[in-house]
Every structure is written in structure tokens, then in C-alpha cells.
Amino acid sequence: SVGGSRRFLQHQPLGIAPEGTDRQGVRSKWHSDAMDMIEQVRPIEVGGRVVACDGGGGPLGHPIEFIRLDSPYPSVCKYCGLKYVSRGSSGHH
């Protein structure tokens, strides 16, 4: 970036906001508490190693995101934040 420094954030495998996130600033700027709400949603158990997330489909959904479930932690949809684990995996946190 010009005249500034870039800040690279580490991926959060559990769908948790990066350390140092100004939650009140996010709520104020975007008028939303979605970040807090999605962190409280338990991972969805699915059979298989890949899940297709569409955010619930319909007009309130998002483009289909195919998510691999080969991590020991819940895998997170980059669009809506829903978390998924493969049934029988050790990724239940």
C-alpha cells in the first residue's frame, strides 16, 4: 500500500473474529451484530468430506461454496460464516 503498512490477518479456522477486532466498531459501522451471532452457531454435522453451502438458498442465500471438511477443526463458509464438520470427525469444538 502507498504510504502505509499492510496488516495480514491469520485465518481463523473456528470462524472466530481475528484477535484485535474492534467489535463495537464493526457493530457501529455496519449496524449489525452478525459476527457475534454466527460465533454462537454450533457446527453443522454432515456425512461426507465436502459440503455445498448456499447460505440457505433463495434470495437471502449466496453463491454455492464447496467446502472441504478435512481439517480437525470446523470448516467455515467464507460467505456466511456457517461452520461444518464431517460426521464422526474429531472437529467438534
Side-chain angles (χ1 to χ4, degrees):
S1 66
V2 178
S5 63
R6 283 191 164 162
R7 181 176 160 209
F8 294 95
L9 300 176
Q10 180 180 0
H11 173 69
Q12 302 295 312
L14 298 177
I16 296 173
E19 184 177 328
T21 298
D22 177 8
R23 290 175 176 275
Q24 191 57 41
V26 170
R27 285 185 208 101
S28 175
K29 180 177 180 178
W30 301 107
H31 307 287
S32 172
D33 62 348
M35 185 170 43
D36 299 321
M37 292 174 14
I38 198 66
E39 285 183 356
Q40 295 177 23
V41 175
R42 294 185 57 86
I44 299 167
E45 286 190 33
V46 297
R49 303 200 26 140
V50 176
V51 65
C53 182
D54 65 3
L60 299 178
H62 58 67
I64 293 175
E65 173 72 9
F66 292 94
I67 304 167
R68 292 175 44 175
L69 304 176
D70 53 4
S71 169
Y73 301 101
S75 297
V76 181
C77 176
K78 70 181 180 183
Y79 290 105
C80 66
L82 287 175
K83 298 171 273 196
Y84 295 91
V85 294
S86 182
R87 194 170 288 120
S89 76
S90 61
H92 243 121
H93 291 279

XYZ file of all heavy atoms in Angstrom:
704
model
N 0.833 -1.189 0.000
C 0.000 0.000 0.000
C 0.871 1.242 0.000
O 1.976 1.230 0.505
C -0.962 -0.021 1.178
O -0.253 0.079 2.383
N 0.372 2.306 -0.530
C 1.131 3.544 -0.654
C 1.130 4.284 0.677
O 0.082 4.575 1.241
C 0.520 4.447 -1.752
C 1.268 5.760 -1.844
C 0.501 3.728 -3.075
N 2.329 4.578 1.179
C 2.451 5.360 2.391
C 1.965 4.685 3.658
O 1.828 5.314 4.674
N 1.709 3.415 3.633
C 1.213 2.732 4.817
C 1.768 1.330 4.903
O 2.592 0.918 4.096
N 1.331 0.625 5.881
C 1.784 -0.756 6.011
C 0.577 -1.677 5.907
O -0.530 -1.318 6.297
C 2.503 -0.964 7.342
O 1.619 -0.735 8.404
N 0.816 -2.835 5.381
C -0.251 -3.821 5.277
C -0.314 -4.643 6.539
O 0.714 -4.962 7.123
C 0.005 -4.758 4.100
C -0.323 -4.153 2.794
C -0.306 -5.219 1.758
N -0.975 -4.727 0.583
C -0.856 -5.255 -0.600
N -0.087 -6.297 -0.775
N -1.493 -4.764 -1.617
N -1.510 -4.997 6.919
C -1.707 -5.845 8.090
C -2.321 -7.148 7.600
O -3.421 -7.159 7.070
C -2.651 -5.156 9.070
C -2.887 -5.953 10.308
C -3.736 -5.175 11.273
N -4.321 -6.123 12.197
C -5.467 -5.959 12.794
N -6.165 -4.874 12.602
N -5.938 -6.866 13.601
N -1.596 -8.241 7.731
C -2.078 -9.533 7.298
C -2.688 -10.254 8.482
O -2.075 -10.364 9.536
C -0.944 -10.372 6.693
C -0.420 -9.774 5.425
C 0.684 -8.954 5.428
C -1.062 -10.027 4.227
C 1.157 -8.400 4.260
C -0.601 -9.471 3.043
C 0.519 -8.658 3.064
N -3.920 -10.722 8.300
C -4.615 -11.409 9.371
C -4.496 -12.910 9.185
O -4.597 -13.414 8.073
C -6.091 -11.013 9.391
C -6.360 -9.525 9.594
C -7.850 -9.251 9.494
C -5.819 -9.067 10.927
N -4.292 -13.604 10.262
C -4.213 -15.056 10.233
C -5.619 -15.631 10.097
O -6.564 -15.136 10.690
C -3.574 -15.551 11.525
C -3.449 -17.051 11.583
C -2.811 -17.500 12.885
O -2.472 -16.692 13.728
N -2.657 -18.780 13.049
N -5.753 -16.679 9.271
C -7.038 -17.347 9.100
C -7.476 -17.946 10.439
O -6.685 -18.542 11.156
C -6.914 -18.459 8.067
C -8.142 -19.294 7.949
N -9.317 -18.811 7.423
C -8.389 -20.569 8.313
C -10.220 -19.759 7.463
N -9.697 -20.830 7.989
N -8.736 -17.772 10.747
C -9.290 -18.296 11.990
C -10.095 -19.556 11.665
O -11.205 -19.461 11.175
C -10.184 -17.252 12.660
C -9.481 -15.956 12.975
C -8.394 -16.130 13.989
O -8.591 -16.754 15.020
N -7.226 -15.601 13.709
N -9.552 -20.749 11.902
C -10.236 -21.976 11.483
C -11.556 -22.246 12.194
O -12.351 -23.010 11.717
C -9.211 -23.067 11.797
C -8.372 -22.486 12.880
C -8.310 -21.010 12.583
N -11.810 -21.594 13.301
C -13.052 -21.853 14.026
C -14.122 -20.809 13.744
O -15.146 -20.772 14.387
C -12.778 -21.917 15.535
C -11.839 -23.019 15.981
C -11.578 -22.941 17.477
C -12.412 -24.372 15.617
N -13.886 -19.934 12.771
C -14.884 -18.917 12.449
C -14.967 -17.814 13.474
O -15.987 -17.169 13.625
N -13.889 -17.599 14.179
C -13.846 -16.574 15.219
C -13.161 -15.335 14.658
O -12.222 -15.440 13.887
C -13.092 -17.105 16.453
C -13.876 -18.282 17.048
C -12.873 -16.018 17.482
C -13.150 -18.996 18.163
N -13.645 -14.174 15.018
C -13.060 -12.921 14.542
C -11.590 -12.853 14.939
O -11.208 -13.301 16.026
C -13.813 -11.743 15.130
N -10.746 -12.298 14.065
C -9.320 -12.180 14.376
C -9.077 -11.389 15.656
O -9.837 -10.464 15.971
C -8.755 -11.426 13.166
C -9.734 -11.654 12.079
C -11.064 -11.775 12.749
N -8.024 -11.756 16.348
C -7.652 -11.057 17.570
C -7.448 -9.578 17.262
O -6.885 -9.212 16.248
C -6.350 -11.655 18.122
C -5.932 -11.074 19.444
C -4.689 -11.747 19.987
O -4.494 -12.943 19.745
O -3.916 -11.050 20.656
N -7.932 -8.740 18.119
C -7.793 -7.305 17.936
C -8.932 -6.672 17.157
O -8.928 -5.466 16.932
N -9.919 -7.470 16.738
C -11.055 -6.918 16.015
C -11.854 -6.005 16.935
O -12.192 -6.383 18.049
C -11.967 -8.043 15.488
O -11.236 -8.842 14.571
C -13.197 -7.477 14.799
N -12.127 -4.810 16.470
C -12.929 -3.848 17.232
C -14.408 -4.174 17.011
O -15.039 -3.692 16.085
C -12.611 -2.429 16.775
C -13.460 -1.371 17.459
O -14.208 -1.706 18.410
O -13.378 -0.204 17.043
N -14.949 -5.040 17.846
C -16.328 -5.499 17.678
C -17.324 -4.345 17.732
O -18.275 -4.302 16.960
C -16.678 -6.541 18.734
C -15.955 -7.840 18.513
C -16.243 -8.822 19.654
N -15.625 -10.091 19.376
C -16.180 -11.039 18.636
N -17.352 -10.859 18.107
N -15.540 -12.163 18.410
N -17.128 -3.415 18.633
C -18.051 -2.284 18.728
C -17.966 -1.440 17.468
O -18.978 -0.954 16.968
C -17.761 -1.440 19.970
C -18.833 -0.419 20.256
C -20.220 -1.050 20.414
O -20.390 -2.102 21.020
N -21.216 -0.406 19.848
N -16.771 -1.283 16.928
C -16.595 -0.543 15.682
C -17.306 -1.220 14.529
O -17.944 -0.560 13.704
N -17.218 -2.555 14.470
C -17.910 -3.311 13.420
C -19.414 -3.144 13.571
O -20.121 -2.878 12.594
C -17.511 -4.806 13.464
C -18.391 -5.631 12.550
C -16.040 -4.982 13.100
N -19.912 -3.305 14.795
C -21.353 -3.155 15.024
C -21.832 -1.765 14.623
O -22.883 -1.603 14.013
C -21.687 -3.397 16.499
C -21.650 -4.838 16.891
C -22.110 -5.006 18.353
N -21.481 -6.177 18.919
C -20.432 -6.161 19.726
N -19.903 -5.026 20.111
N -19.916 -7.279 20.169
N -21.053 -0.751 14.983
C -21.432 0.626 14.694
C -21.377 0.924 13.195
O -22.319 1.493 12.631
C -20.489 1.565 15.442
O -20.758 2.896 15.108
N -20.305 0.532 12.542
C -20.133 0.825 11.116
C -21.164 0.109 10.258
O -21.744 0.687 9.344
C -18.729 0.433 10.666
C -18.468 0.692 9.201
C -17.048 0.358 8.820
C -16.817 0.625 7.340
N -15.445 0.351 6.954
N -21.381 -1.180 10.541
C -22.257 -1.985 9.697
C -23.661 -2.153 10.279
O -24.506 -2.791 9.676
C -21.619 -3.353 9.438
C -20.290 -3.223 8.775
C -19.072 -3.438 9.346
C -20.022 -2.818 7.432
N -18.074 -3.191 8.451
C -18.631 -2.809 7.260
C -20.830 -2.454 6.354
C -18.033 -2.465 6.056
C -20.220 -2.103 5.166
C -18.850 -2.110 5.027
N -23.900 -1.619 11.468
C -25.213 -1.723 12.116
C -25.660 -3.182 12.193
O -26.791 -3.521 11.858
C -26.260 -0.876 11.389
C -25.830 0.541 11.203
N -25.781 1.429 12.247
C -25.382 1.199 10.104
C -25.342 2.591 11.804
N -25.085 2.480 10.517
N -24.738 -4.048 12.626
C -25.025 -5.483 12.639
C -24.280 -6.160 13.782
O -23.144 -5.802 14.099
C -24.576 -6.100 11.315
O -24.679 -7.497 11.357
N -24.926 -7.136 14.364
C -24.253 -7.975 15.359
C -24.067 -9.387 14.800
O -23.963 -10.356 15.542
C -25.003 -7.986 16.683
C -26.403 -8.562 16.575
O -26.882 -8.754 15.448
O -27.014 -8.809 17.623
N -24.025 -9.510 13.471
C -23.908 -10.817 12.810
C -22.663 -11.574 13.250
O -22.698 -12.791 13.419
C -23.922 -10.655 11.294
N -21.554 -10.876 13.453
C -20.318 -11.527 13.859
C -20.511 -12.244 15.198
O -20.079 -13.379 15.376
C -19.196 -10.490 13.960
C -17.845 -11.060 14.249
S -16.475 -9.888 14.083
C -17.065 -8.419 14.854
N -21.178 -11.600 16.134
C -21.431 -12.216 17.437
C -22.386 -13.397 17.301
O -22.196 -14.437 17.915
C -22.030 -11.195 18.408
C -21.107 -10.020 18.648
O -19.883 -10.246 18.734
O -21.610 -8.893 18.748
N -23.419 -13.223 16.470
C -24.431 -14.268 16.329
C -23.859 -15.522 15.672
O -24.135 -16.633 16.121
C -25.623 -13.736 15.535
C -26.393 -12.685 16.310
S -27.751 -11.823 15.463
C -28.099 -12.730 14.032
N -23.050 -15.382 14.616
C -22.548 -16.559 13.909
C -21.556 -17.338 14.777
O -21.452 -18.553 14.664
C -21.947 -16.192 12.530
C -21.836 -17.422 11.639
C -20.576 -15.538 12.684
C -23.126 -18.025 11.226
N -20.850 -16.659 15.681
C -19.923 -17.367 16.563
C -20.661 -18.293 17.524
O -20.088 -19.237 18.042
C -19.053 -16.384 17.338
C -17.965 -15.775 16.486
C -17.061 -14.854 17.266
O -17.301 -14.615 18.471
O -16.102 -14.370 16.657
N -21.936 -18.035 17.774
C -22.704 -18.846 18.709
C -23.365 -20.055 18.042
O -23.906 -20.908 18.731
C -23.752 -17.976 19.388
C -23.127 -16.913 20.256
C -24.155 -16.002 20.880
O -25.309 -16.362 21.038
N -23.736 -14.812 21.245
N -23.327 -20.107 16.703
C -23.942 -21.220 15.983
C -23.018 -22.427 16.027
O -21.840 -22.329 15.673
C -24.230 -20.828 14.508
C -24.760 -22.015 13.729
C -25.205 -19.677 14.461
N -23.555 -23.559 16.470
C -22.756 -24.791 16.527
C -22.474 -25.286 15.120
O -23.275 -25.060 14.207
C -23.499 -25.860 17.309
C -23.665 -25.517 18.789
C -24.310 -26.655 19.565
N -23.578 -27.896 19.465
C -22.561 -28.259 20.250
N -22.167 -27.449 21.198
N -21.971 -29.414 20.087
N -21.350 -25.987 14.923
C -21.046 -26.558 13.604
C -22.142 -27.527 13.161
O -22.728 -28.241 13.967
C -19.730 -27.297 13.827
C -19.122 -26.651 15.025
C -20.276 -26.236 15.884
N -22.402 -27.547 11.865
C -23.396 -28.435 11.273
C -22.699 -29.734 10.885
O -21.694 -29.713 10.177
C -24.021 -27.777 10.032
C -24.718 -26.472 10.449
C -24.982 -28.736 9.327
C -25.090 -25.582 9.276
N -23.209 -30.869 11.373
C -22.638 -32.177 11.035
C -23.192 -32.659 9.709
O -24.403 -32.607 9.486
C -22.968 -33.206 12.116
C -22.181 -33.044 13.377
C -22.379 -34.232 14.305
O -22.558 -35.364 13.818
O -22.368 -34.005 15.518
N -22.303 -33.103 8.829
C -22.715 -33.626 7.529
C -22.008 -34.949 7.271
O -20.931 -35.198 7.810
C -22.426 -32.635 6.384
C -23.209 -31.357 6.563
C -20.950 -32.324 6.289
N -22.631 -35.802 6.458
C -21.991 -37.046 6.046
C -21.150 -36.766 4.816
O -21.619 -36.153 3.872
N -19.921 -37.139 4.831
C -19.044 -36.903 3.685
C -17.921 -35.949 4.020
O -17.821 -35.447 5.138
N -17.091 -35.688 3.003
C -15.907 -34.857 3.217
C -15.987 -33.514 2.503
O -15.061 -32.724 2.567
C -14.682 -35.620 2.780
C -14.593 -36.940 3.545
C -13.273 -37.541 3.571
N -12.194 -36.610 3.433
C -11.079 -36.687 4.098
N -10.933 -37.639 4.977
N -10.105 -35.845 3.904
N -17.090 -33.272 1.799
C -17.302 -31.994 1.116
C -18.753 -31.583 1.330
O -19.648 -32.414 1.265
C -17.010 -32.103 -0.398
C -17.336 -30.794 -1.104
C -15.566 -32.498 -0.655
N -18.968 -30.300 1.584
C -20.326 -29.779 1.734
C -20.486 -28.599 0.783
O -19.531 -27.883 0.511
C -20.606 -29.361 3.201
C -19.745 -28.201 3.628
C -22.072 -29.041 3.411
N -21.693 -28.425 0.254
C -22.011 -27.279 -0.592
C -22.892 -26.334 0.223
O -24.019 -26.669 0.563
C -22.736 -27.726 -1.854
N -22.372 -25.170 0.553
C -23.126 -24.190 1.342
C -23.669 -23.126 0.398
O -22.928 -22.578 -0.414
C -22.223 -23.549 2.395
S -23.090 -22.366 3.458
N -24.973 -22.844 0.531
C -25.574 -21.772 -0.263
C -26.210 -20.718 0.640
O -26.984 -19.885 0.190
C -26.587 -22.320 -1.261
C -27.801 -22.960 -0.601
O -27.903 -22.949 0.651
O -28.642 -23.480 -1.341
N -25.880 -20.763 1.917
C -26.392 -19.768 2.854
C -27.882 -19.854 3.104
O -28.486 -18.918 3.587
N -28.474 -20.978 2.768
C -29.911 -21.137 2.958
C -30.689 -21.013 1.668
O -31.884 -21.230 1.625
N -29.997 -20.652 0.592
C -30.634 -20.584 -0.719
C -31.622 -19.450 -0.858
O -31.778 -18.606 0.024
N -32.276 -19.437 -1.989
C -33.270 -18.401 -2.244
C -32.645 -17.019 -2.325
O -31.436 -16.868 -2.444
N -33.480 -15.999 -2.211
C -32.987 -14.626 -2.363
C -32.064 -14.174 -1.233
O -31.342 -13.199 -1.382
C -34.264 -13.784 -2.381
C -35.295 -14.623 -1.716
C -34.924 -16.045 -2.020
N -32.074 -14.872 -0.107
C -31.212 -14.478 1.015
C -29.930 -15.299 1.080
O -29.130 -15.124 1.988
C -31.979 -14.609 2.336
C -33.224 -13.744 2.449
C -33.915 -13.989 3.776
C -32.897 -12.281 2.264
N -29.734 -16.196 0.134
C -28.549 -17.040 0.132
C -27.349 -16.356 -0.499
O -27.295 -15.139 -0.631
N -26.370 -17.179 -0.888
C -25.158 -16.676 -1.534
C -24.716 -17.694 -2.573
O -25.287 -18.785 -2.641
C -24.062 -16.406 -0.498
C -23.675 -17.595 0.326
N -23.050 -18.714 -0.183
C -23.811 -17.839 1.652
C -22.817 -19.587 0.791
N -23.291 -19.082 1.913
N -23.716 -17.378 -3.402
C -23.233 -18.364 -4.376
C -22.807 -19.649 -3.669
O -22.332 -19.616 -2.528
C -22.023 -17.673 -5.016
C -22.256 -16.217 -4.796
C -22.992 -16.114 -3.485
N -22.985 -20.775 -4.335
C -22.606 -22.057 -3.729
C -21.105 -22.084 -3.482
O -20.307 -21.770 -4.349
C -23.019 -23.233 -4.620
C -24.547 -23.319 -4.691
C -22.431 -24.547 -4.088
C -25.057 -24.377 -5.648
N -20.751 -22.432 -2.271
C -19.351 -22.576 -1.859
C -19.142 -24.034 -1.474
O -19.795 -24.540 -0.554
C -19.065 -21.663 -0.665
C -17.716 -21.832 -0.033
C -16.582 -21.286 -0.891
O -16.845 -20.618 -1.903
O -15.429 -21.535 -0.531
N -18.255 -24.744 -2.208
C -17.925 -26.123 -1.864
C -16.808 -26.092 -0.842
O -15.767 -25.479 -1.068
C -17.509 -26.913 -3.114
C -18.657 -27.118 -4.058
C -18.871 -26.240 -5.117
C -19.549 -28.163 -3.869
C -19.939 -26.418 -5.975
C -20.620 -28.351 -4.725
C -20.819 -27.480 -5.777
N -17.034 -26.741 0.290
C -16.108 -26.664 1.424
C -15.602 -28.056 1.759
O -16.386 -28.968 2.025
C -16.813 -26.052 2.657
C -17.393 -24.675 2.294
C -15.857 -25.964 3.840
C -18.361 -24.140 3.321
N -14.269 -28.207 1.763
C -13.655 -29.483 2.145
C -13.636 -29.582 3.664
O -13.347 -28.618 4.359
C -12.239 -29.569 1.594
C -12.224 -29.677 0.095
C -10.855 -29.650 -0.479
N -9.948 -30.503 0.275
C -8.698 -30.728 -0.073
N -8.213 -30.182 -1.147
N -7.925 -31.502 0.650
N -13.933 -30.777 4.153
C -14.013 -30.997 5.603
C -12.880 -31.898 6.073
O -13.095 -32.824 6.830
C -15.374 -31.613 5.951
C -16.588 -30.824 5.482
C -17.866 -31.573 5.803
C -16.593 -29.439 6.086
N -11.671 -31.620 5.645
C -10.539 -32.470 6.011
C -9.684 -31.885 7.128
O -8.614 -32.367 7.423
C -9.680 -32.776 4.780
C -9.241 -31.532 4.031
O -9.536 -30.417 4.501
O -8.627 -31.676 2.972
N -10.177 -30.852 7.784
C -9.467 -30.223 8.891
C -9.940 -30.829 10.212
O -11.092 -31.253 10.324
C -9.758 -28.722 8.888
O -9.304 -28.117 10.075
N -9.084 -30.843 11.220
C -9.542 -31.326 12.530
C -10.473 -30.310 13.211
O -11.057 -30.595 14.243
C -8.256 -31.497 13.328
C -7.268 -30.595 12.674
C -7.654 -30.539 11.220
N -10.604 -29.128 12.615
C -11.471 -28.079 13.153
C -12.662 -27.883 12.223
O -12.598 -28.244 11.050
C -10.708 -26.754 13.265
C -9.511 -26.846 14.151
C -8.238 -26.977 13.618
C -9.654 -26.827 15.530
C -7.128 -27.071 14.435
C -8.551 -26.932 16.361
C -7.298 -27.046 15.805
O -6.209 -27.150 16.623
N -13.728 -27.278 12.697
C -14.843 -26.975 11.796
C -14.372 -26.102 10.633
O -13.577 -25.189 10.818
C -15.828 -26.215 12.684
C -15.520 -26.684 14.071
C -14.023 -26.900 14.086
N -14.867 -26.399 9.437
C -14.557 -25.596 8.258
C -15.628 -24.518 8.132
O -16.798 -24.753 8.406
C -14.528 -26.479 7.018
O -13.496 -27.437 7.143
N -15.227 -23.333 7.691
C -16.101 -22.166 7.711
C -16.414 -21.692 6.293
O -15.521 -21.575 5.462
C -15.418 -21.009 8.484
C -16.313 -19.784 8.544
C -15.025 -21.457 9.877
N -17.681 -21.394 6.033
C -18.087 -20.817 4.756
C -17.612 -19.368 4.699
O -17.885 -18.586 5.614
C -19.602 -20.875 4.589
S -20.161 -20.060 3.069
N -16.912 -19.012 3.630
C -16.367 -17.656 3.525
C -17.441 -16.598 3.284
O -17.194 -15.420 3.472
C -15.313 -17.583 2.429
C -15.853 -17.720 1.030
C -14.730 -17.663 0.015
C -15.258 -17.807 -1.401
N -14.148 -17.831 -2.349
N -18.629 -17.016 2.861
C -19.702 -16.057 2.614
C -20.545 -15.779 3.852
O -20.817 -14.636 4.179
C -20.627 -16.544 1.497
C -19.996 -16.534 0.134
C -19.602 -17.723 -0.464
C -19.794 -15.348 -0.561
C -19.025 -17.724 -1.723
C -19.214 -15.341 -1.816
C -18.838 -16.530 -2.397
O -18.268 -16.524 -3.632
N -21.020 -16.829 4.511
C -21.987 -16.624 5.599
C -21.456 -16.975 6.990
O -22.091 -16.664 7.980
C -23.263 -17.418 5.326
S -23.045 -19.211 5.355
N -20.302 -17.648 7.057
C -19.720 -17.961 8.358
C -20.216 -19.243 8.996
O -19.763 -19.599 10.081
N -21.161 -19.946 8.352
C -21.595 -21.220 8.922
C -20.419 -22.174 9.005
O -19.526 -22.157 8.153
C -22.718 -21.836 8.080
C -24.079 -21.153 8.194
C -25.065 -21.777 7.223
C -24.603 -21.241 9.617
N -20.414 -23.004 10.043
C -19.320 -23.947 10.280
C -19.819 -25.362 10.045
O -20.954 -25.690 10.405
C -18.801 -23.795 11.717
C -18.231 -22.407 11.979
C -17.935 -22.208 13.441
C -19.208 -21.711 14.104
N -19.045 -21.129 15.393
N -18.965 -26.188 9.469
C -19.330 -27.566 9.143
C -18.257 -28.526 9.638
O -17.064 -28.201 9.622
C -19.454 -27.747 7.626
C -20.572 -26.954 7.016
C -20.358 -25.663 6.545
C -21.852 -27.483 6.911
C -21.384 -24.929 5.971
C -22.888 -26.759 6.348
C -22.640 -25.480 5.876
O -23.662 -24.764 5.314
N -18.691 -29.714 10.055
C -17.795 -30.822 10.385
C -18.339 -32.088 9.750
O -19.547 -32.235 9.590
C -17.614 -31.037 11.911
C -16.911 -29.866 12.569
C -18.926 -31.317 12.581
N -17.434 -32.986 9.425
C -17.838 -34.270 8.900
C -18.270 -35.158 10.067
O -17.577 -35.216 11.091
C -16.679 -34.921 8.137
O -17.068 -36.144 7.596
N -19.414 -35.808 9.938
C -19.925 -36.675 10.998
C -18.850 -37.683 11.378
O -18.261 -38.305 10.539
C -21.179 -37.381 10.506
C -21.974 -38.025 11.591
C -23.328 -38.509 11.086
N -24.211 -37.358 10.832
C -24.744 -37.065 9.639
N -24.513 -37.820 8.599
N -25.522 -36.017 9.504
N -18.589 -37.790 12.651
C -17.597 -38.745 13.134
C -16.190 -38.146 13.206
O -15.283 -38.810 13.657
N -16.008 -36.909 12.777
C -14.672 -36.299 12.862
C -14.421 -35.851 14.300
O -15.329 -35.755 15.098
C -14.545 -35.096 11.925
O -15.221 -33.980 12.469
N -13.181 -35.527 14.587
C -12.844 -35.047 15.924
C -12.982 -33.544 15.997
O -12.574 -32.939 16.957
C -11.421 -35.463 16.287
O -10.516 -34.895 15.353
N -13.576 -32.926 14.971
C -13.662 -31.472 14.894
C -14.809 -30.861 15.651
O -15.269 -29.792 15.301
N -15.314 -31.499 16.677
C -16.400 -30.937 17.465
C -15.827 -30.084 18.591
O -15.356 -30.597 19.580
C -17.240 -32.063 18.078
C -18.629 -32.049 17.577
N -19.167 -33.115 16.923
C -19.580 -31.103 17.599
C -20.402 -32.832 16.589
N -20.673 -31.602 16.987
N -15.850 -28.784 18.428
C -15.332 -27.887 19.462
C -16.408 -26.973 19.926
O -17.266 -26.572 19.259
C -14.152 -27.056 18.923
C -12.937 -27.878 18.655
N -12.067 -28.246 19.639
C -12.464 -28.441 17.520
C -11.094 -28.980 19.099
N -11.329 -29.097 17.817
